Amino acid sequence: MLREGVGKGGKHLYPVMPYTAYTLLNDKDSLAIKSYLFTLTPRTIKAPENKLSFPFSQRWSLVFWNWLNNENKRFVPAEDKSAEWNRGAYLTEALGHCSQCHTPRTITYGLSKKAYAGTVQMGWYAYNLTSDKQHGLAGWSDAQLKSYLSTGYAKGKGPASGPMAEAVEHGLRYMTPEDIGAIITYLRSIPPQASGPIAQLMPAPPSQVDTEEHARGQKLFAQACSGCHLMDGQGRQSDWAALAGAHSVSDPEAHNLIQVLLSGTSLMTEHGKVSMPSFTGAYTPDELAAVSNYVIAHFGGKLTDVSSAEFKK
Ligand code: HEC
Ligand code: HEC
């Protein structure tokens, strides 16, 4: 199952189960996972039915998908690289399956050659992780990356929300400092690709944001958001509520901002759970659009035109 995506009774699994990453796992680690799972209390719970439309409902077609997109081969260490780099490559590519969210996909939904250039999936932007100076991670210090991956927050870079909060909460925060360090060593070696939004800390010039719409957005931010985030975005509730410097507030298309406003987000930290509620009940689509445009101009320095349609969709 981990290598070929074939489950019980020969059933082909959909690649939302990331076996194209787990296929790289060695025998020892795959069997260690099995040993752990086999210590859990047996329970019978019926999984919900899949609701896929034609042609995606045709499982047999995955035979062709696998042929195109799953190499079914184990991780082979690079001899010209350090042990730490190889450990990082193994953790990132196999167990961490980071590319499954951060690498753009091809037309057949396989991983493209633009490794870690960043991409949008299910509304969330999984940002560029390459060593590009403006779009990627070259502007992050090792300490910032270490803090982000192991706690879901880095000073000056904002929190991890949504799917990345899940990756930290359920996986990364249990890793040893050595393994987090190895992942960082590997990420640093990914060739730069210039794509995706650029994070910046500059407010947009006052002459351009001095409008009625922004005044309305600011008022809404003061009412609805500043209690946790503070007016200057430094975060009152906790470090995880610091927005300044976050990629999400510099994305001109506001992907992740729209997602957190629609669905909320939460993360387990060593000081307990931090969370943000969904705002769709208490505020109208029009108000959410106004607050979004204000947030991106004020914290990301970009003038945007997020419309209420984004919240009605
Ligand atoms: C389930 C999808 C998913 C997986 C798996 C995932 N990420 Fe992410 N990642 C995201 C999303 C979405 C964001 C943006 C989060 C936000 O805006 O708060 C993100 C943000 C990040 C950031 C911050 C980038 C920035 O510019 O702000 C880093 C660093 C990162 N991820 C590293 C990793 C690493 C390393 C792994 C593998 C160990 C990984 N991610 C696995 C979805 C994912
Ligand atoms: C109850 C406190 C609370 C309120 C109210 C709140 N937030 Fe948040 N917000 C948080 C916390 C905590 C996080 C980080 C959670 C996580 O890491 O999963 C967050 C995350 C975010 C993020 C994602 C940052 C990133 O880079 O991942 C944005 C953007 C955001 N909030 C904007 C807003 C806006 C706009 C409002 C008002 C409409 C608002 N928040 C109201 C607590 C709050």
Side-chain angles (χ1 to χ4, degrees):
M1 189 277 283
L2 290 174
R3 291 177 177 175
E4 295 171 44
V6 177
K8 256 191 201 155
K11 187 168 86 173
H12 279 278
L13 302 179
Y14 287 102
V16 63
M17 158 69 202
Y19 57 85
T20 55
Y22 300 145
T23 197
L24 295 165
L25 291 174
N26 61 35
D27 287 354
K28 198 168 139 251
D29 288 348
S30 303
L31 294 175
I33 292 172
K34 173 177 181 279
S35 301
Y36 167 69
L37 289 176
F38 278 43
T39 63
L40 302 178
T41 314
R43 286 202 181 94
T44 311
I45 295 171
K46 201 173 170 324
E49 292 295 323
N50 282 336
K51 289 191 193 116
L52 289 170
S53 56
F54 187 83
F56 305 107
S57 54
Q58 306 297 300
R59 275 188 194 271
W60 59 267
S61 64
L62 286 163
V63 172
F64 299 103
W65 190 87
N66 285 322
W67 184 66
L68 283 172
N69 296 308
N70 184 22
E71 289 196 60
N72 186 15
K73 61 177 193 205
R74 311 297 84 76
F75 176 77
V76 182
E79 278 173 16
D80 59 339
K81 295 282 205 288
S82 68
E84 192 191 29
W85 184 94
N86 276 306
R87 175 76 180 155
Y90 182 69
L91 292 170
T92 306
E93 299 297 343
L95 286 165
H97 65 283
C98 316
S99 63
Q100 300 286 318
C101 295
H102 286 276
T103 295
R105 295 199 175 251
T106 62
I107 195 154
T108 66
Y109 210 68
L111 296 181
S112 73
K113 298 258 178 295
K114 295 179 124 189
Y116 298 101
T119 186
V120 178
Q121 283 187 65
M122 308 217 292
W124 285 92
Y125 208 126
Y127 300 115
N128 189 323
L129 300 185
T130 73
S131 41
D132 186 82
K133 275 206 184 69
Q134 287 188 297
H135 306 82
L137 298 178
W140 292 55
S141 67
D142 282 2
Q144 281 173 322
L145 271 173
K146 191 174 159 219
S147 164
Y148 188 92
L149 294 175
S150 50
T151 69
Y153 156 79
K155 200 169 164 52
K157 298 291 180 189
S161 303
M164 192 60 203
E166 287 176 23
V168 172
E169 175 166 336
H170 302 297
L172 290 162
R173 73 190 174 107
Y174 297 108
M175 284 195 176
T176 63
E178 292 73 30
D179 280 346
I180 293 284
I183 291 177
I184 296 170
T185 299
Y186 177 68
L187 291 177
R188 295 285 189 211
S189 74
I190 297 170
Q193 304 241 14
S195 68
I198 298 173
Q200 69 183 61
L201 259 171
M202 295 259 293
S207 59
Q208 291 178 36
V209 293
D210 209 2
T211 62
E212 230 172 82
E213 170 76 354
H214 274 91
R216 189 160 153 256
Q218 182 176 33
K219 202 167 150 203
L220 286 161
F221 188 84
Q223 274 174 12
C225 324
S226 69
C228 297
H229 290 295
L230 292 184
M231 283 315 278
D232 64 2
Q234 293 304 320
R236 166 189 285 157
Q237 189 205 32
S238 73
D239 284 345
W240 285 264
L243 297 179
H247 233 139
S248 62
V249 293
S250 315
D251 171 6
E253 290 176 77
H255 291 99
N256 297 1
L257 171 59
I258 292 171
Q259 292 302 322
V260 295
L261 290 173
L262 289 176
S263 350
T265 174
S266 73
L267 176 69
M268 187 50 86
T269 74
E270 62 181 24
H271 312 294
K273 206 165 187 88
V274 294
S275 61
M276 165 166 162
S278 155
F279 279 83
T280 48
Y283 290 84
T284 65
D286 199 44
E287 287 170 327
L288 294 178
V291 83
S292 301
N293 287 317
Y294 167 76
V295 163
I296 299 218
H298 189 69
F299 299 113
K302 296 195 181 111
L303 297 173
T304 50
D305 194 14
V306 176
S307 84
S308 56
E310 295 293 340
F311 295 97
K312 284 184 195 142
K313 251 193 321 221

Short mmCIF file of all heavy atoms in Angstrom, two decimals, residues 242-305:
data_model
loop_
_atom_site.label_atom_id
_atom_site.label_comp_id
_atom_site.label_asym_id
_atom_site.label_seq_id
_atom_site.Cartn_x
_atom_site.Cartn_y
_atom_site.Cartn_z
N ALA A 242 0.71 36.86 15.78
CA ALA A 242 1.48 37.93 15.16
C ALA A 242 1.43 37.77 13.64
O ALA A 242 1.86 36.76 13.10
CB ALA A 242 2.93 37.90 15.66
N LEU A 243 0.87 38.77 12.97
CA LEU A 243 0.68 38.67 11.52
C LEU A 243 1.81 39.31 10.74
O LEU A 243 2.02 39.00 9.57
CB LEU A 243 -0.61 39.38 11.09
CG LEU A 243 -1.92 38.82 11.63
CD1 LEU A 243 -3.08 39.68 11.12
CD2 LEU A 243 -2.09 37.38 11.18
N ALA A 244 2.52 40.25 11.38
CA ALA A 244 3.51 41.04 10.65
C ALA A 244 4.57 40.13 10.02
O ALA A 244 5.12 39.26 10.69
CB ALA A 244 4.16 42.05 11.60
N GLY A 245 4.83 40.34 8.72
CA GLY A 245 5.85 39.56 8.02
C GLY A 245 5.35 38.25 7.45
O GLY A 245 6.09 37.56 6.75
N ALA A 246 4.09 37.88 7.73
CA ALA A 246 3.56 36.61 7.23
C ALA A 246 3.29 36.68 5.73
O ALA A 246 2.84 37.70 5.23
CB ALA A 246 2.27 36.24 7.97
N HIS A 247 3.58 35.58 5.07
CA HIS A 247 3.31 35.49 3.65
C HIS A 247 1.81 35.68 3.34
O HIS A 247 1.44 36.25 2.32
CB HIS A 247 3.76 34.11 3.15
CG HIS A 247 4.69 34.19 1.99
ND1 HIS A 247 5.80 33.39 1.85
CD2 HIS A 247 4.66 34.97 0.88
CE1 HIS A 247 6.40 33.69 0.72
NE2 HIS A 247 5.74 34.64 0.11
N SER A 248 0.97 35.18 4.24
CA SER A 248 -0.47 35.22 3.99
C SER A 248 -1.02 36.65 3.86
O SER A 248 -2.01 36.86 3.19
CB SER A 248 -1.21 34.50 5.12
OG SER A 248 -0.97 35.17 6.33
N VAL A 249 -0.37 37.62 4.51
CA VAL A 249 -0.87 38.99 4.42
C VAL A 249 -0.16 39.78 3.30
O VAL A 249 -0.35 40.99 3.17
CB VAL A 249 -0.78 39.75 5.77
CG1 VAL A 249 -1.73 39.14 6.77
CG2 VAL A 249 0.64 39.79 6.31
N SER A 250 0.66 39.11 2.52
CA SER A 250 1.33 39.77 1.38
C SER A 250 0.92 39.16 0.05
O SER A 250 1.48 39.51 -0.98
CB SER A 250 2.85 39.64 1.47
OG SER A 250 3.30 39.91 2.74
N ASP A 251 0.00 38.21 0.09
CA ASP A 251 -0.43 37.55 -1.14
C ASP A 251 -1.53 38.40 -1.78
O ASP A 251 -2.61 38.54 -1.20
CB ASP A 251 -0.96 36.15 -0.77
CG ASP A 251 -1.65 35.45 -1.93
OD1 ASP A 251 -1.62 35.97 -3.05
OD2 ASP A 251 -2.22 34.36 -1.68
N PRO A 252 -1.28 38.99 -2.95
CA PRO A 252 -2.27 39.89 -3.54
C PRO A 252 -3.60 39.20 -3.83
O PRO A 252 -4.62 39.86 -3.94
CB PRO A 252 -1.62 40.37 -4.84
CG PRO A 252 -0.28 39.76 -4.92
CD PRO A 252 -0.08 38.82 -3.78
N GLU A 253 -3.58 37.87 -3.96
CA GLU A 253 -4.86 37.18 -4.18
C GLU A 253 -5.49 36.69 -2.88
O GLU A 253 -6.57 36.10 -2.89
CB GLU A 253 -4.66 36.02 -5.16
CG GLU A 253 -4.38 36.54 -6.56
CD GLU A 253 -4.10 35.41 -7.51
OE1 GLU A 253 -5.05 34.75 -7.94
OE2 GLU A 253 -2.91 35.18 -7.79
N ALA A 254 -4.81 36.93 -1.78
CA ALA A 254 -5.37 36.70 -0.44
C ALA A 254 -5.86 35.27 -0.18
O ALA A 254 -6.76 35.08 0.64
CB ALA A 254 -6.50 37.70 -0.17
N HIS A 255 -5.24 34.28 -0.83
CA HIS A 255 -5.73 32.90 -0.68
C HIS A 255 -5.93 32.47 0.78
O HIS A 255 -7.02 32.10 1.19
CB HIS A 255 -4.74 31.91 -1.32
CG HIS A 255 -4.70 32.00 -2.81
ND1 HIS A 255 -3.73 32.69 -3.48
CD2 HIS A 255 -5.51 31.47 -3.75
CE1 HIS A 255 -3.93 32.59 -4.78
NE2 HIS A 255 -5.01 31.86 -4.98
N ASN A 256 -4.83 32.51 1.55
CA ASN A 256 -4.90 31.95 2.90
C ASN A 256 -5.67 32.84 3.87
O ASN A 256 -6.28 32.35 4.82
CB ASN A 256 -3.49 31.63 3.42
CG ASN A 256 -2.81 30.58 2.58
OD1 ASN A 256 -3.38 30.10 1.59
ND2 ASN A 256 -1.60 30.20 2.94
N LEU A 257 -5.66 34.14 3.59
CA LEU A 257 -6.46 35.06 4.41
C LEU A 257 -7.95 34.71 4.24
O LEU A 257 -8.69 34.59 5.21
CB LEU A 257 -6.17 36.51 3.99
CG LEU A 257 -7.07 37.59 4.56
CD1 LEU A 257 -6.99 37.60 6.08
CD2 LEU A 257 -6.67 38.96 4.03
N ILE A 258 -8.36 34.52 3.00
CA ILE A 258 -9.76 34.15 2.73
C ILE A 258 -10.08 32.81 3.42
O ILE A 258 -11.11 32.67 4.08
CB ILE A 258 -10.03 34.06 1.21
CG1 ILE A 258 -9.93 35.47 0.59
CG2 ILE A 258 -11.39 33.43 0.91
CD1 ILE A 258 -9.95 35.49 -0.94
N GLN A 259 -9.16 31.85 3.32
CA GLN A 259 -9.40 30.54 3.94
C GLN A 259 -9.54 30.63 5.47
O GLN A 259 -10.42 30.01 6.04
CB GLN A 259 -8.27 29.54 3.60
CG GLN A 259 -8.22 29.14 2.14
CD GLN A 259 -9.52 28.50 1.65
OE1 GLN A 259 -10.17 27.75 2.37
NE2 GLN A 259 -9.92 28.82 0.44
N VAL A 260 -8.66 31.40 6.13
CA VAL A 260 -8.80 31.46 7.61
C VAL A 260 -10.08 32.19 8.01
O VAL A 260 -10.70 31.83 9.01
CB VAL A 260 -7.58 32.07 8.37
CG1 VAL A 260 -6.34 31.21 8.24
CG2 VAL A 260 -7.29 33.49 7.97
N LEU A 261 -10.48 33.18 7.21
CA LEU A 261 -11.74 33.87 7.54
C LEU A 261 -12.93 32.95 7.33
O LEU A 261 -13.89 32.98 8.10
CB LEU A 261 -11.89 35.16 6.72
CG LEU A 261 -10.91 36.28 7.09
CD1 LEU A 261 -11.03 37.44 6.12
CD2 LEU A 261 -11.14 36.76 8.52
N LEU A 262 -12.87 32.10 6.30
CA LEU A 262 -13.98 31.19 6.02
C LEU A 262 -14.03 30.03 7.02
O LEU A 262 -15.08 29.69 7.53
CB LEU A 262 -13.86 30.60 4.61
CG LEU A 262 -14.13 31.52 3.43
CD1 LEU A 262 -13.85 30.79 2.12
CD2 LEU A 262 -15.57 32.02 3.45
N SER A 263 -12.88 29.41 7.27
CA SER A 263 -12.90 28.17 8.06
C SER A 263 -12.29 28.27 9.44
O SER A 263 -12.35 27.31 10.21
CB SER A 263 -12.18 27.03 7.32
OG SER A 263 -11.86 27.36 6.01
N GLY A 264 -11.62 29.40 9.76
CA GLY A 264 -10.90 29.46 11.04
C GLY A 264 -9.67 28.58 10.96
O GLY A 264 -9.41 27.92 9.94
N THR A 265 -8.88 28.56 12.03
CA THR A 265 -7.68 27.72 12.05
C THR A 265 -7.28 27.50 13.50
O THR A 265 -7.63 28.30 14.36
CB THR A 265 -6.51 28.39 11.27
OG1 THR A 265 -5.31 27.61 11.44
CG2 THR A 265 -6.23 29.81 11.73
N SER A 266 -6.59 26.39 13.77
CA SER A 266 -6.11 26.19 15.14
C SER A 266 -4.85 25.37 15.13
O SER A 266 -4.55 24.68 14.15
CB SER A 266 -7.18 25.51 15.98
OG SER A 266 -7.27 24.16 15.61
N LEU A 267 -4.12 25.47 16.22
CA LEU A 267 -2.84 24.79 16.31
C LEU A 267 -2.55 24.46 17.77
O LEU A 267 -2.73 25.30 18.65
CB LEU A 267 -1.74 25.72 15.76
CG LEU A 267 -0.31 25.24 15.86
CD1 LEU A 267 -0.08 24.06 14.92
CD2 LEU A 267 0.64 26.36 15.48
N MET A 268 -2.10 23.23 18.02
CA MET A 268 -1.72 22.85 19.38
C MET A 268 -0.27 23.27 19.61
O MET A 268 0.60 22.96 18.80
CB MET A 268 -1.88 21.33 19.53
CG MET A 268 -1.68 20.83 20.93
SD MET A 268 -2.62 21.72 22.18
CE MET A 268 -4.17 20.86 22.10
N THR A 269 -0.03 24.01 20.68
CA THR A 269 1.34 24.44 21.00
C THR A 269 1.69 23.91 22.39
O THR A 269 0.82 23.36 23.09
CB THR A 269 1.46 25.97 21.06
OG1 THR A 269 0.84 26.44 22.27
CG2 THR A 269 0.78 26.62 19.87
N GLU A 270 2.92 24.13 22.82
CA GLU A 270 3.28 23.64 24.16
C GLU A 270 2.59 24.45 25.26
O GLU A 270 2.57 24.05 26.41
CB GLU A 270 4.80 23.59 24.35
CG GLU A 270 5.47 24.94 24.25
CD GLU A 270 6.99 24.83 24.43
OE1 GLU A 270 7.54 23.74 24.19
OE2 GLU A 270 7.59 25.85 24.82
N HIS A 271 2.01 25.61 24.88
CA HIS A 271 1.24 26.39 25.86
C HIS A 271 -0.26 26.18 25.69
O HIS A 271 -1.06 26.99 26.12
CB HIS A 271 1.53 27.89 25.69
CG HIS A 271 2.97 28.22 25.60
ND1 HIS A 271 3.84 28.04 26.64
CD2 HIS A 271 3.72 28.68 24.57
CE1 HIS A 271 5.07 28.38 26.25
NE2 HIS A 271 5.01 28.76 25.00
N GLY A 272 -0.65 25.12 24.99
CA GLY A 272 -2.07 24.85 24.77
C GLY A 272 -2.48 25.25 23.37
O GLY A 272 -1.67 25.66 22.55
N LYS A 273 -3.82 25.14 23.14
CA LYS A 273 -4.31 25.36 21.78
C LYS A 273 -4.48 26.85 21.50
O LYS A 273 -5.01 27.57 22.33
CB LYS A 273 -5.67 24.66 21.63
CG LYS A 273 -5.99 24.27 20.21
CD LYS A 273 -7.15 23.27 20.18
CE LYS A 273 -7.36 22.76 18.79
NZ LYS A 273 -6.58 21.58 18.42
N VAL A 274 -4.01 27.30 20.32
CA VAL A 274 -4.32 28.67 19.89
C VAL A 274 -5.28 28.53 18.72
O VAL A 274 -5.15 27.63 17.91
CB VAL A 274 -3.07 29.47 19.46
CG1 VAL A 274 -2.15 29.71 20.63
CG2 VAL A 274 -2.32 28.77 18.33
N SER A 275 -6.29 29.42 18.66
CA SER A 275 -7.20 29.26 17.54
C SER A 275 -7.86 30.56 17.13
O SER A 275 -7.89 31.54 17.88
CB SER A 275 -8.25 28.20 17.85
OG SER A 275 -8.98 28.60 18.96
N MET A 276 -8.36 30.54 15.93
CA MET A 276 -9.09 31.67 15.37
C MET A 276 -10.40 31.10 14.83
O MET A 276 -10.38 30.10 14.11
CB MET A 276 -8.26 32.28 14.25
CG MET A 276 -9.05 33.20 13.37
SD MET A 276 -7.95 34.18 12.35
CE MET A 276 -9.12 34.69 11.11
N PRO A 277 -11.54 31.71 15.20
CA PRO A 277 -12.83 31.18 14.74
C PRO A 277 -13.09 31.56 13.28
O PRO A 277 -12.44 32.44 12.75
CB PRO A 277 -13.84 31.89 15.65
CG PRO A 277 -13.20 33.20 15.98
CD PRO A 277 -11.71 32.94 16.02
N SER A 278 -14.07 30.89 12.67
CA SER A 278 -14.54 31.28 11.34
C SER A 278 -15.37 32.55 11.49
O SER A 278 -16.03 32.76 12.51
CB SER A 278 -15.40 30.16 10.77
OG SER A 278 -16.30 30.69 9.83
N PHE A 279 -15.31 33.44 10.48
CA PHE A 279 -16.04 34.70 10.59
C PHE A 279 -17.27 34.78 9.69
O PHE A 279 -17.87 35.84 9.56
CB PHE A 279 -15.09 35.86 10.31
CG PHE A 279 -14.28 36.23 11.52
CD1 PHE A 279 -13.12 35.53 11.83
CD2 PHE A 279 -14.70 37.23 12.38
CE1 PHE A 279 -12.40 35.83 12.97
CE2 PHE A 279 -13.98 37.54 13.52
CZ PHE A 279 -12.82 36.84 13.82
N THR A 280 -17.64 33.66 9.07
CA THR A 280 -18.71 33.75 8.08
C THR A 280 -20.09 33.97 8.71
O THR A 280 -20.97 34.51 8.06
CB THR A 280 -18.77 32.49 7.20
OG1 THR A 280 -18.71 31.36 8.06
CG2 THR A 280 -17.62 32.44 6.22
N GLY A 281 -20.27 33.53 9.96
CA GLY A 281 -21.58 33.71 10.59
C GLY A 281 -21.81 35.15 11.01
O GLY A 281 -22.86 35.74 10.74
N ALA A 282 -20.79 35.74 11.63
CA ALA A 282 -20.98 37.04 12.27
C ALA A 282 -20.82 38.23 11.32
O ALA A 282 -21.28 39.33 11.62
CB ALA A 282 -20.01 37.17 13.44
N TYR A 283 -20.15 38.03 10.19
CA TYR A 283 -19.90 39.15 9.28
C TYR A 283 -20.39 38.83 7.86
O TYR A 283 -20.37 37.68 7.44
CB TYR A 283 -18.40 39.49 9.27
CG TYR A 283 -17.96 40.10 10.58
CD1 TYR A 283 -17.63 39.28 11.66
CD2 TYR A 283 -17.95 41.47 10.75
CE1 TYR A 283 -17.28 39.82 12.89
CE2 TYR A 283 -17.61 42.03 11.98
CZ TYR A 283 -17.27 41.21 13.04
OH TYR A 283 -16.94 41.76 14.25
N THR A 284 -20.79 39.86 7.13
CA THR A 284 -21.29 39.64 5.77
C THR A 284 -20.10 39.50 4.80
O THR A 284 -19.00 39.96 5.11
CB THR A 284 -22.14 40.84 5.29
OG1 THR A 284 -21.26 41.99 5.20
CG2 THR A 284 -23.27 41.14 6.24
N PRO A 285 -20.31 38.87 3.64
CA PRO A 285 -19.26 38.75 2.64
C PRO A 285 -18.63 40.11 2.30
O PRO A 285 -17.42 40.23 2.12
CB PRO A 285 -19.97 38.16 1.41
CG PRO A 285 -21.10 37.37 1.99
CD PRO A 285 -21.54 38.15 3.20
N ASP A 286 -19.47 41.12 2.26
CA ASP A 286 -19.02 42.46 1.95
C ASP A 286 -18.05 42.99 3.02
O ASP A 286 -17.01 43.59 2.72
CB ASP A 286 -20.28 43.33 1.89
CG ASP A 286 -20.01 44.61 1.17
OD1 ASP A 286 -19.36 44.53 0.11
OD2 ASP A 286 -20.44 45.67 1.68
N GLU A 287 -18.39 42.73 4.28
CA GLU A 287 -17.51 43.17 5.38
C GLU A 287 -16.20 42.39 5.37
O GLU A 287 -15.12 42.95 5.62
CB GLU A 287 -18.23 42.98 6.73
CG GLU A 287 -19.34 43.99 6.94
CD GLU A 287 -20.22 43.66 8.16
OE1 GLU A 287 -20.42 42.47 8.48
OE2 GLU A 287 -20.71 44.61 8.78
N LEU A 288 -16.28 41.08 5.07
CA LEU A 288 -15.06 40.26 5.05
C LEU A 288 -14.14 40.70 3.92
O LEU A 288 -12.91 40.69 4.07
CB LEU A 288 -15.41 38.78 4.93
CG LEU A 288 -16.15 38.21 6.16
CD1 LEU A 288 -16.51 36.74 5.93
CD2 LEU A 288 -15.31 38.35 7.43
N ALA A 289 -14.72 41.12 2.79
CA ALA A 289 -13.90 41.63 1.69
C ALA A 289 -13.21 42.93 2.10
O ALA A 289 -12.02 43.13 1.86
CB ALA A 289 -14.76 41.83 0.44
N ALA A 290 -13.96 43.81 2.78
CA ALA A 290 -13.38 45.10 3.21
C ALA A 290 -12.23 44.89 4.19
O ALA A 290 -11.16 45.50 4.07
CB ALA A 290 -14.46 45.98 3.83
N VAL A 291 -12.42 43.98 5.14
CA VAL A 291 -11.37 43.74 6.13
C VAL A 291 -10.15 43.09 5.45
O VAL A 291 -9.00 43.41 5.77
CB VAL A 291 -11.89 42.95 7.37
CG1 VAL A 291 -11.93 41.47 7.15
CG2 VAL A 291 -11.08 43.26 8.61
N SER A 292 -10.39 42.23 4.45
CA SER A 292 -9.27 41.59 3.74
C SER A 292 -8.44 42.61 2.99
O SER A 292 -7.20 42.59 3.05
CB SER A 292 -9.79 40.56 2.72
OG SER A 292 -10.55 39.58 3.37
N ASN A 293 -9.09 43.52 2.29
CA ASN A 293 -8.36 44.54 1.54
C ASN A 293 -7.56 45.44 2.49
O ASN A 293 -6.43 45.81 2.20
CB ASN A 293 -9.32 45.37 0.68
CG ASN A 293 -9.82 44.56 -0.52
OD1 ASN A 293 -9.03 43.88 -1.17
ND2 ASN A 293 -11.11 44.62 -0.79
N TYR A 294 -8.14 45.72 3.64
CA TYR A 294 -7.42 46.53 4.62
C TYR A 294 -6.18 45.78 5.13
O TYR A 294 -5.08 46.32 5.18
CB TYR A 294 -8.33 46.91 5.80
CG TYR A 294 -7.56 47.46 6.96
CD1 TYR A 294 -7.05 48.75 6.92
CD2 TYR A 294 -7.28 46.65 8.08
CE1 TYR A 294 -6.29 49.24 7.97
CE2 TYR A 294 -6.52 47.14 9.13
CZ TYR A 294 -6.03 48.43 9.07
OH TYR A 294 -5.26 48.91 10.10
N VAL A 295 -6.36 44.53 5.50
CA VAL A 295 -5.26 43.73 6.08
C VAL A 295 -4.08 43.64 5.11
O VAL A 295 -2.92 43.83 5.48
CB VAL A 295 -5.77 42.31 6.48
CG1 VAL A 295 -4.62 41.34 6.69
CG2 VAL A 295 -6.63 42.40 7.74
N ILE A 296 -4.39 43.38 3.83
CA ILE A 296 -3.29 43.20 2.87
C ILE A 296 -2.60 44.53 2.55
O ILE A 296 -1.39 44.57 2.38
CB ILE A 296 -3.82 42.48 1.61
CG1 ILE A 296 -4.32 41.12 2.10
CG2 ILE A 296 -2.74 42.37 0.54
CD1 ILE A 296 -4.09 39.96 1.24
N ALA A 297 -3.35 45.62 2.53
CA ALA A 297 -2.71 46.92 2.30
C ALA A 297 -1.88 47.31 3.52
O ALA A 297 -0.73 47.74 3.41
CB ALA A 297 -3.78 47.99 2.04
N HIS A 298 -2.45 47.09 4.69
CA HIS A 298 -1.80 47.57 5.91
C HIS A 298 -0.59 46.73 6.32
O HIS A 298 0.44 47.26 6.69
CB HIS A 298 -2.84 47.58 7.02
CG HIS A 298 -2.37 48.25 8.27
ND1 HIS A 298 -2.15 49.60 8.32
CD2 HIS A 298 -2.03 47.75 9.48
CE1 HIS A 298 -1.71 49.91 9.53
NE2 HIS A 298 -1.62 48.80 10.25
N PHE A 299 -0.72 45.40 6.24
CA PHE A 299 0.39 44.54 6.70
C PHE A 299 1.26 44.03 5.55
O PHE A 299 2.39 43.63 5.78
CB PHE A 299 -0.14 43.34 7.49
CG PHE A 299 -0.87 43.75 8.73
CD1 PHE A 299 -2.24 43.54 8.85
CD2 PHE A 299 -0.20 44.35 9.78
CE1 PHE A 299 -2.92 43.92 9.99
CE2 PHE A 299 -0.87 44.74 10.93
CZ PHE A 299 -2.24 44.53 11.03
N GLY A 300 0.71 44.00 4.34
CA GLY A 300 1.48 43.44 3.23
C GLY A 300 1.91 44.47 2.21
O GLY A 300 2.64 44.15 1.27
N GLY A 301 1.42 45.71 2.35
CA GLY A 301 1.83 46.78 1.45
C GLY A 301 1.31 46.62 0.04
O GLY A 301 1.89 47.17 -0.89
N LYS A 302 0.25 45.86 -0.16
CA LYS A 302 -0.25 45.67 -1.53
C LYS A 302 -1.71 46.10 -1.62
O LYS A 302 -2.49 45.84 -0.72
CB LYS A 302 -0.11 44.21 -1.93
CG LYS A 302 1.35 43.80 -1.97
CD LYS A 302 1.55 42.50 -2.70
CE LYS A 302 3.03 42.14 -2.68
NZ LYS A 302 3.35 40.98 -1.87
N LEU A 303 -2.04 46.74 -2.73
CA LEU A 303 -3.42 47.14 -2.94
C LEU A 303 -4.15 46.01 -3.65
O LEU A 303 -3.71 45.55 -4.69
CB LEU A 303 -3.47 48.42 -3.76
CG LEU A 303 -2.82 49.59 -3.03
CD1 LEU A 303 -2.73 50.81 -3.91
CD2 LEU A 303 -3.57 49.91 -1.74
N THR A 304 -5.22 45.55 -3.05
CA THR A 304 -5.92 44.38 -3.61
C THR A 304 -7.38 44.70 -3.83
O THR A 304 -7.89 45.71 -3.35
CB THR A 304 -5.85 43.20 -2.63
OG1 THR A 304 -6.27 43.66 -1.35
CG2 THR A 304 -4.45 42.64 -2.55
N ASP A 305 -8.02 43.79 -4.55
CA ASP A 305 -9.41 43.99 -4.87
C ASP A 305 -10.19 42.71 -4.55
O ASP A 305 -10.84 42.14 -5.40
CB ASP A 305 -9.51 44.35 -6.36
CG ASP A 305 -10.87 44.91 -6.70
OD1 ASP A 305 -11.61 45.27 -5.75
OD2 ASP A 305 -11.20 44.99 -7.89
#
